Amino acid sequence: MATIDKRSDKMAWGVTLLAFGILILLDKTGVTDALPFSNFIQSIGTYFLVAGIIFLIYRKEKTLGLVFTIIGLIIHFDAFFGWMKNYRNLLLPIALLVIGLILILSTRRG
């Protein structure tokens, strides 16, 4: 059972890194510049969304995928609703603090 979990972890991380590489390469070559939503594609929220979706697909344990997906959605809320523009600078540090606390508290339980 442990080898299956290690395989799925490696697969999730590998696919995530490939996706990040593709997104960065598209940005650096100027392909995304022509798209009307290029700022959306090259934002940190998109990277969280991509990682979250990949981890939800490939990993048996869904917690990290859910956390990444939720963070990505929260970051992109301002693109849809505009209410987070004033809080954008605080969002990433707060998200990292929350994730750290979740990880610390979950290891104490188990």
Side-chain angles (χ1 to χ4, degrees):
M1 191 75 145
T3 54
I4 294 173
D5 291 338
K6 285 183 182 180
R7 272 189 182 164
S8 65
D9 282 350
K10 282 185 179 181
M11 181 65 96
W13 283 107
V15 173
T16 301
L17 291 175
L18 283 172
F20 286 1
I22 290 169
L23 287 171
I24 293 169
L25 184 64
L26 290 173
D27 181 47
K28 297 300 180 187
T29 57
V31 172
T32 58
D33 293 341
L35 299 174
F37 49 89
S38 64
N39 289 338
F40 183 83
I41 292 173
Q42 290 303 326
S43 75
I44 189 72
T46 301
Y47 287 92
F48 275 110
L49 278 174
V50 167
I53 291 168
I54 291 170
F55 276 67
L56 286 172
I57 292 170
Y58 285 104
R59 289 190 70 195
K60 192 173 187 176
E61 171 62 40
K62 305 294 184 192
T63 306
L64 187 60
L66 286 172
V67 169
F68 283 166
T69 303
I70 290 169
I71 290 171
L73 289 172
I74 289 171
I75 291 172
H76 279 304
F77 275 164
D78 69 323
F80 301 113
F81 302 112
W83 60 273
M84 289 191 57
K85 289 182 183 176
N86 297 332
Y87 304 108
R88 178 175 281 199
N89 293 335
L90 300 175
L91 189 62
L92 185 60
I94 291 171
L96 292 173
L97 289 169
V98 169
I99 292 169
L101 284 173
I102 289 170
L103 291 173
I104 289 169
L105 294 176
S106 68
T107 49
R108 285 188 173 179
R109 275 193 276 156

